[in-house]
Amino acid sequence: MTASRDPRIRPNVILGVLTLVSLMTSYVEAMVVPSLPHIESALSATDEEAAWIVSAYLVVGAAIAPLFGKMGDVYGKRRLYLISLALYSVAVLMAGFVPNVYYLIAARAVQGFGFALFPLGLAIVTDVFPRERVAVAQGILSATFAIGMTVGMIAGAYIEEYLGWRAMFHTAFAISIIMLVLASLLLWSPSPVARERIDFASTVLLASATTVILVYLTEAPYRGWLSLGQLSLLATGFALFGGFIAYGSRSTRVLIRFDLLKRRNVMVANLLGLLSGVIMFLLFMGVIYYAEELPPYGLGLSVISAAMTLLPATLAMIFIAPLVGAVTSSLGPRPVLIYGSLVSALGFYLFVWDRASSTALVLDSFVTGVGVVSTTIPIVNMVAVSMPPDSVSVGLGFNTMVRFLGASVGPVLAATLLTDYRAYAEYIIPYLGTLTFTEGGPQAFNMIFYIGSAISIVMMVISLFTKNYRARGSAALTL
């Protein structure tokens, strides 16, 4: 924390660069979503292969986040941040010129190395700001995920419509190079506290377990949740996690020390992180699916209009996130987590009560978004504060991995509910007459939002176990 007293170090400038990079990466990942049908058609891909265009990034990213976090602690956070951003930029360039879907999936997998930018950025923020201002800075950085996702969907739809899907990656590469230059010139982080060897045995076990579980979740809608092959994947994933736990319990050089994971606030933060990942994507997918669903069961909006229903809520995060960070510093994480969980539960229930118009959808999304961001920021701060200086990056990397495991469950859970609870709708098609289609019915959307509300209540209960603390001094809203 002494870095903020060094006149050569400019924390606000560093935060600005980290925020722009985080916006850029979440924007790039979101802009792929509305273009998937066109990419699938252009590359003659199957639905399953198209799903891997999205999942390859998550699988690799979640697997390497703890490793890159540890390497940041050992070799320097700035160095690993720049390496991650460089790999990400190269992969974005590759994606714009791929000849077939398999090369695109490979390019998206390499983009997964950019996944480590978020936990490394949070760790740098923890280093350069004084403790009483860390939560506010982390709040600003955390808000960029939701903002970038929404803006990315809107911009991606426009770019794909007028310039083609390859232009999305070409423009993203140009932006990423600008970000790489800015980061190399303006970022700073202190020298590593101590050099130590990285235990690659525990790293391989954890990364393999995470990868197998994410492959199971990605393939479940296409190969079945309970097919023999899928159950074998699930059993292998849990066995690898068990091996990681068994190895770590007797090793002194494990990737992340188990005594740190057993700290009360770290355990609470990781449990809440898993659940917050689920509800964030239940919110995102539930709103988008419902907005695009044809009447009478949805609003029948275009991709762009559907994304616009989330835009007011995500833009409001620019103002809400620093406020949540300041309150976390002054009151501590526990009351903020309880408040956020209750607001999130209320927001999800509002979707069940009224979602009959775009205005209602915007208001419901706003309330739920306030609740979700009010849980995300204390979670991140709890990990950063609870970890010793030589383990902050790996701790945040592990938490990021856990949150994105939850984030991978959210879309699959929403899609499964929409498949299981279908309704019939009749449409009059010119020259063809009346045709009957099956769509996700009202019960499917109610179940999505009821589950989101229930998970939020569970998060509130878990939040009660938080060991509260307050930052020294008073948190300022202006950085």
Side-chain angles (χ1 to χ4, degrees):
M1 300 293 182
T2 58
S4 59
R5 295 193 289 270
D6 189 332
R8 296 171 299 173
I9 307 308
R10 296 169 290 179
N12 295 340
V13 173
I14 292 172
L15 177 62
V17 173
L18 296 174
T19 299
L20 288 173
V21 172
S22 183
L23 275 171
M24 183 266 297
T25 54
S26 57
Y27 158 82
V28 172
E29 298 319 306
M31 73 179 185
V32 174
V33 176
S35 302
L36 276 179
H38 299 90
I39 296 174
E40 182 178 344
S41 175
L43 298 179
S44 301
T46 64
D47 289 344
E48 185 177 356
E49 290 166 344
W52 274 103
I53 295 172
V54 175
S55 296
Y57 169 80
L58 287 174
V59 170
V60 173
I64 63 95
L67 172 61
F68 266 53
K70 183 65 173 181
M71 292 175 70
D73 289 325
V74 174
Y75 300 113
K77 301 177 185 69
R78 177 183 179 275
R79 178 182 298 175
L80 266 295
Y81 192 93
L82 294 176
I83 291 173
S84 297
L85 185 53
L87 288 171
Y88 185 83
S89 300
V90 170
V92 170
L93 175 64
M94 291 166 50
F97 295 99
V98 294
N100 57 53
V101 69
Y102 302 109
Y103 280 94
L104 181 56
I105 291 172
R108 294 280 297 155
V110 178
Q111 279 181 244
F113 284 90
F115 195 92
L117 291 167
F118 185 66
L120 286 168
L122 290 170
I124 291 173
V125 161
T126 306
D127 283 337
V128 301
F129 281 93
R131 179 169 177 172
E132 64 271 15
R133 298 168 67 191
V134 165
V136 179
Q138 289 174 336
I140 293 172
L141 194 57
S142 299
T144 59
F145 177 79
I147 297 168
M149 287 287 289
T150 304
V151 173
M153 285 199 66
I154 298 170
Y158 273 110
I159 294 173
E160 196 283 328
E161 182 175 352
Y162 295 107
L163 299 175
W165 67 269
R166 293 183 187 274
M168 295 189 310
F169 293 106
H170 297 330
T171 55
F173 173 70
I175 297 171
S176 68
I177 291 301
I178 296 172
M179 294 298 103
L180 182 59
V181 172
L182 287 175
S184 62
L185 293 175
L186 299 175
L187 282 190
W188 178 91
S189 67
S191 300
V193 176
R195 288 291 181 93
E196 61 178 283
R197 291 180 58 191
I198 295 175
D199 182 55
F200 286 100
S202 61
T203 301
V204 170
L205 284 170
L206 180 60
S208 300
T210 305
T211 299
V212 171
I213 293 296
L214 287 173
V215 170
Y216 169 80
L217 292 172
T218 301
E219 292 289 331
Y222 307 100
R223 300 181 183 273
W225 291 91
L226 300 177
S227 66
L228 181 60
Q230 285 293 100
L231 289 176
S232 298
L233 276 176
L234 189 62
T236 302
F238 282 121
L240 288 167
F241 270 123
F244 171 72
I245 294 171
Y247 179 88
S249 62
R250 67 174 190 270
S251 173
T252 58
R253 295 190 301 107
V254 70
L255 179 66
I256 180 168
R257 286 163 36 201
F258 276 33
D259 62 311
L260 299 180
L261 292 178
K262 291 178 182 178
R263 291 183 177 183
R264 188 203 298 184
N265 277 10
V266 176
M267 291 180 65
V268 169
N270 286 331
L271 284 173
L272 292 177
L274 179 69
L275 296 177
S276 70
V278 177
I279 64 170
M280 179 179 291
F281 276 81
L282 279 179
L283 168 64
F284 193 79
M285 302 306 293
V287 171
I288 294 296
Y289 279 140
Y290 177 76
E292 293 184 25
E293 186 83 76
L294 293 174
Y297 304 125
L299 299 182
L301 302 179
S302 66
V303 174
I304 296 173
S305 298
M308 290 293 288
T309 62
L310 286 168
L311 187 60
T314 52
L315 290 180
M317 299 307 168
I318 298 173
F319 305 99
I320 295 170
L323 178 62
V324 172
V327 175
T328 300
S329 294
S330 59
L331 299 181
R334 183 166 56 190
V336 180
L337 286 168
I338 293 171
Y339 164 81
S341 301
L342 292 175
V343 171
S344 175
L346 172 64
F348 276 110
Y349 181 75
L350 289 176
F351 283 110
V352 179
W353 182 61
D354 181 20
R355 57 175 187 265
S357 66
S358 297
T359 301
L361 212 59
V362 168
L363 293 174
D364 297 346
S365 300
F366 178 80
V367 174
T368 313
V370 170
V372 171
V373 80
S374 296
T375 59
T376 300
I377 294 167
I379 289 170
V380 169
N381 188 254
M382 286 163 62
V383 175
V385 169
S386 301
M387 288 286 173
D390 64 349
S391 298
V392 171
S393 292
V394 69
L396 289 168
F398 188 89
N399 183 257
T400 301
M401 178 200 75
V402 169
R403 282 193 289 123
F404 274 85
L405 279 172
S408 299
V409 172
V412 175
L413 178 58
T416 300
L417 290 170
L418 288 169
T419 300
D420 291 346
Y421 296 94
R422 301 191 72 81
Y424 294 93
E426 292 186 347
Y427 298 100
I428 299 176
I429 310 297
Y431 307 110
L432 295 178
T434 301
L435 299 179
T436 301
F437 295 89
T438 59
E439 298 177 346
Q443 190 176 2
F445 290 107
N446 285 343
M447 287 296 295
I448 289 172
F449 298 128
Y450 275 134
I451 290 172
S453 186
I455 293 175
S456 299
I457 294 298
V458 172
M459 291 177 64
M460 187 273 291
V461 174
I462 295 173
S463 300
L464 296 174
F465 293 91
T466 303
K467 183 178 181 181
N468 207 39
Y469 59 84
R470 297 181 183 182
R472 294 187 299 271
S474 59
L477 286 178
T478 56
L479 295 172

